[in-house]
Amino acid sequence: MSKGYFRYLLNNDPEKVISDRGVKFRRLINPIVRGFMPLKVKTRLKILHRAPLPDEPVIFACTHGFREDVEDSLITAGRHAYILVGSLEQFFNSRIDNISGFLNGVILIDREDKESRAASKEKMKAALSKGVSVLMYPEGTWNVSPNKLIAGIFPGAYDVAKEAGVKVVPIATHRVDDKVFSLRGKAFDIAKYERSEGIRRLRDKMATMKWKLYEHAGIKRRSTLPVGKEADAYWKEYIHALKAEVPHFEHELEEKSIFRQKGEALQEEVFSFMDKLLPHHGTAFLFNKRHYRL
């Protein structure tokens, strides 16, 4: 298949992308597709726990932060689920990813196109109405924060779950070197809460699961880590190495896809004044590394 064949998946009409025949075919071959996934990745997955799933389609809301977490989340889900994919460059330019994604079932979203973003919700509802679950990443992009367990999350999971009348199942993954650990949480009715509360509860559940994975995998003492600018350099090098594993990583788009509350400033923006600050007796304390310690 040429990559041009998959362009029809960008159509905003759900009926031209999600069909009964396509869902039935993919459900039939899905055990084979999921069985192939561990062969695609270089890491080893250990599922620590899977909470029971309801006998109905659900939305899997997954953490996002490294190359293999799509495959690992699907395996952890343990059920056929269409994937919401926003990394179009990676999808269309990786023969392995586009063919395996196509066989599994994907819902493509152009994150820079308002109509595509709206259509992706309708496509998810169409898939759910046909009895197939959906797997998505409510953070919208990789969480590359050095201190947030979970970045801010977009409201799509809440909106689709409420309109489709389905429950949400959180999934968390965490990678340490060549090992990945994962958890599948309990399904919960997010729509019984009002919008902001439902989103907050989902984020809290995902963050709690992420922390449990940190505890299992081991946590370094702060005293063993660099501080100040050295800590910033250490983290940037770590994130750069993770991104370098993705052949078609869209750096600018991923940066723009970070969820931000209205009026919220990024760390870089808050401390941007430091780049223009001249040291003298009144500002010397700001350059003291001890002030970076928490």
Side-chain angles (χ1 to χ4, degrees):
M1 294 180 180
S2 68
K3 65 181 182 181
Y5 172 82
F6 301 107
R7 291 287 172 183
Y8 85 93
L9 294 169
L10 287 171
N11 194 299
N12 288 336
D13 184 352
E15 294 185 3
K16 295 183 179 179
V17 178
I18 311 291
S19 67
D20 291 325
R21 182 179 178 182
V23 168
K24 291 178 181 178
F25 170 72
R26 288 172 175 84
R27 182 182 290 122
L28 180 66
I29 67 170
N30 191 254
I32 299 173
V33 174
R34 278 191 286 128
F36 167 74
M37 284 180 180
L39 303 178
K40 281 184 61 184
V41 299
K42 299 178 181 179
T43 52
R44 292 173 291 164
L45 173 66
K46 181 176 182 180
I47 302 172
L48 302 185
H49 179 70
R50 280 174 169 161
L53 288 175
D55 189 21
E56 58 189 30
V58 299
I59 294 175
F60 293 104
C62 311
T63 62
H64 206 16
F66 55 93
R67 166 64 184 87
E68 305 89 353
D69 64 9
V70 174
E71 292 85 356
D72 292 329
S73 294
L74 275 170
I75 296 170
T76 303
R79 170 188 288 183
H80 180 213
Y82 272 45
I83 318 165
L84 182 64
V85 175
S87 300
L88 300 184
E89 284 295 317
Q90 177 67 15
F91 179 81
F92 283 110
N93 291 288
S94 170
R95 185 171 294 277
I96 293 178
D97 285 349
N98 58 37
I99 292 178
S100 61
F102 172 77
L103 293 175
N104 176 84
V106 293
I107 297 171
L108 298 188
I109 172 175
D110 183 344
R111 287 175 285 176
E112 297 185 287
D113 185 279
K114 184 178 181 180
E115 292 184 359
S116 180
R117 294 197 300 269
S120 69
K121 292 184 179 181
E122 298 305 315
K123 293 176 189 177
M124 285 190 282
K125 288 191 292 183
L128 291 163
S129 70
K130 297 179 188 302
V132 63
S133 296
V134 171
L135 187 144
M136 65 182 300
Y137 296 87
E139 293 169 285
T141 185
W142 284 14
N143 176 20
V144 296
S145 167
N147 53 20
K148 290 182 180 179
L149 290 168
I150 300 295
I153 63 176
F154 289 88
Y158 178 91
D159 294 341
V160 174
K162 183 175 182 177
E163 293 172 24
V166 300
K167 294 180 179 179
V168 174
V169 176
I171 287 179
T173 54
H174 176 54
R175 174 175 156 181
V176 180
D177 299 325
D178 65 343
K179 300 182 181 67
V180 175
F181 304 92
S182 69
L183 289 168
R184 185 180 72 194
K186 294 180 180 179
F188 78 106
D189 184 4
I190 195 173
K192 74 177 183 179
Y193 306 101
E194 64 90 20
R195 197 172 190 242
S196 61
E197 178 63 13
I199 292 169
R200 185 191 69 80
R201 286 179 178 264
L202 173 58
R203 186 170 183 265
D204 285 351
K205 290 176 184 293
M206 294 171 69
T208 299
M209 292 166 59
K210 192 78 172 182
W211 181 256
K212 288 181 179 179
L213 294 178
Y214 285 172
E215 288 186 314
H216 178 85
I219 301 174
K220 293 183 179 180
R221 291 183 177 274
R222 187 174 293 278
S223 59
T224 66
L225 298 173
V227 297
K229 291 184 178 180
E230 289 79 9
D232 290 340
Y234 172 86
W235 183 254
K236 288 178 180 178
E237 182 178 344
Y238 168 70
I239 295 299
H240 177 76
L242 285 180
K243 292 179 178 179
E245 296 178 5
V246 182
H248 303 281
F249 194 90
E250 299 174 84
H251 296 270
E252 185 176 344
L253 175 58
E254 299 299 336
E255 183 69 26
K256 291 193 298 185
S257 299
I258 298 173
F259 177 82
R260 294 174 65 176
Q261 292 281 6
K262 187 176 182 180
E264 179 183 0
L266 298 177
Q267 177 179 325
E268 294 79 7
E269 295 169 341
V270 173
F271 291 101
S272 61
F273 74 95
M274 292 288 291
D275 297 330
K276 303 176 183 178
L277 195 65
L278 298 176
H280 57 78
H281 69 278
T283 61
F285 74 97
L286 292 172
F287 296 88
N288 191 327
K289 291 182 180 180
R290 288 177 296 177
H291 289 276
Y292 286 96
R293 292 185 182 274
L294 300 178

